[in-house]
Amino acid sequence: MARSRAAYEYTEAEDKSMRLGFLLIAAGLLSLLGLGCCWLRPALQERGGGGSANCTVLAVRQLGERFACTFSCGAACRGTARYPCLQVLVRTSRSSAPALLHEDERQLRTNPKCSYIPPCARDDQENSENVTYKQKYWKEKVGSQPFTCYFNQHLRPDDVMLRRTHDETVLLHCFLWPVVTFLVGVLIVVLTICAKSLAVRAEAIKKKKH
């Protein structure tokens, strides 16, 4: 029994390989758990009940209200500027009621009242010019041309998005890489155990021959 136990004792290199495998297994499981609770589940909830539709611009307008944004001009330089609120009202192929268009889910959460948040500049006038340029784009370049938009009737029935932040590719990568990490860890552990087992058997056969 003592000889058998000694034969199955792992060398330093094999011990490190086992530790690496178990570390990758734990990292993969923790990543899946963390992403599932903190990111994947909310993303799927946002996508649940949603879909795509054809949108047509009904009206493009600037409200008199201005909103604050934070700009950065260096490592220790930050400040607050303001930008006008642009609203793009559209009609979807799913409903005749007007809906407010947003860039994506992130912009919708940041400012649900407006359709566009410009890159925050220190000068308020520059922010206003960026918003005016976007207003001309929707009025003159898009106009009455239909385009694809996304909606979620359960969470935001009166809002639509120009693009989705949580698309299929992002969700796939969030699931794929933790699983790959887990499988690589399992493979390392299995290969280390198999290599050790084969080495022990080879040594036993060699002893029998002698």
Side-chain angles (χ1 to χ4, degrees):
M1 290 292 293
R3 289 183 180 179
S4 178
R5 289 178 182 176
Y8 274 94
E9 286 182 357
Y10 292 101
T11 63
E12 184 179 354
E14 291 168 341
D15 186 58
K16 288 182 178 179
S17 179
M18 292 286 287
R19 289 182 181 180
L20 175 62
F22 286 123
L23 180 63
L24 290 176
I25 291 172
L29 290 175
L30 289 176
S31 298
L32 278 175
L33 182 63
L35 288 171
C37 294
C38 302
W39 198 92
L40 190 59
R41 185 179 177 184
L44 291 175
Q45 287 178 345
E46 284 185 5
R47 292 172 59 82
S52 62
N54 289 327
C55 282
T56 307
V57 176
L58 292 177
V60 184
R61 63 192 184 191
Q62 282 193 35
L63 301 183
E65 188 176 1
R66 287 177 172 262
F67 291 87
C69 64
T70 302
F71 65 85
S72 176
C73 49
C77 176
R78 298 176 67 86
T80 302
R82 305 189 77 81
Y83 64 91
C85 181
L86 175 67
Q87 287 190 338
V88 180
L89 298 176
V90 299
R91 178 185 289 116
T92 69
S93 57
R94 299 292 186 95
S95 173
S96 59
L100 182 61
L101 180 69
H102 300 273
E103 294 281 320
D104 51 30
E105 290 96 338
R106 188 178 293 109
Q107 183 269 311
L108 172 59
R109 289 192 297 268
T110 303
N111 189 342
K113 197 170 184 178
C114 304
S115 297
Y116 174 67
I117 300 176
C120 193
R122 171 182 269 178
D123 186 11
D124 291 356
Q125 181 61 32
E126 184 176 347
N127 292 326
S128 297
E129 290 174 357
N130 287 335
V131 172
T132 301
Y133 174 81
K134 184 65 70 170
Q135 182 178 7
K136 289 181 179 179
Y137 168 81
W138 284 107
K139 275 187 175 181
E140 299 173 5
K141 291 191 176 181
V142 178
S144 59
Q145 298 178 14
F147 58 93
T148 303
C149 60
Y150 302 93
F151 64 93
N152 192 315
Q153 293 181 343
H154 296 328
L155 297 179
R156 291 281 185 173
D158 299 326
D159 298 279
V160 295
M161 272 72 67
L162 185 61
R163 59 181 178 273
R164 286 187 296 207
T165 305
H166 306 120
D167 58 9
E168 289 83 356
T169 305
V170 175
L171 295 178
L172 175 63
H173 282 285
C174 284
F175 178 75
L176 176 64
W177 296 116
V179 171
V180 169
T181 303
F182 174 80
L183 293 178
V184 169
V186 171
L187 184 62
I188 291 174
V189 171
V190 171
L191 289 178
T192 303
I193 293 174
C194 289
K196 184 63 177 179
S197 178
L198 290 174
V200 170
R201 290 183 181 180
E203 186 177 352
I205 293 172
K206 185 178 180 181
K207 287 180 179 180
K208 286 182 179 181
K209 288 183 177 180
H210 289 289

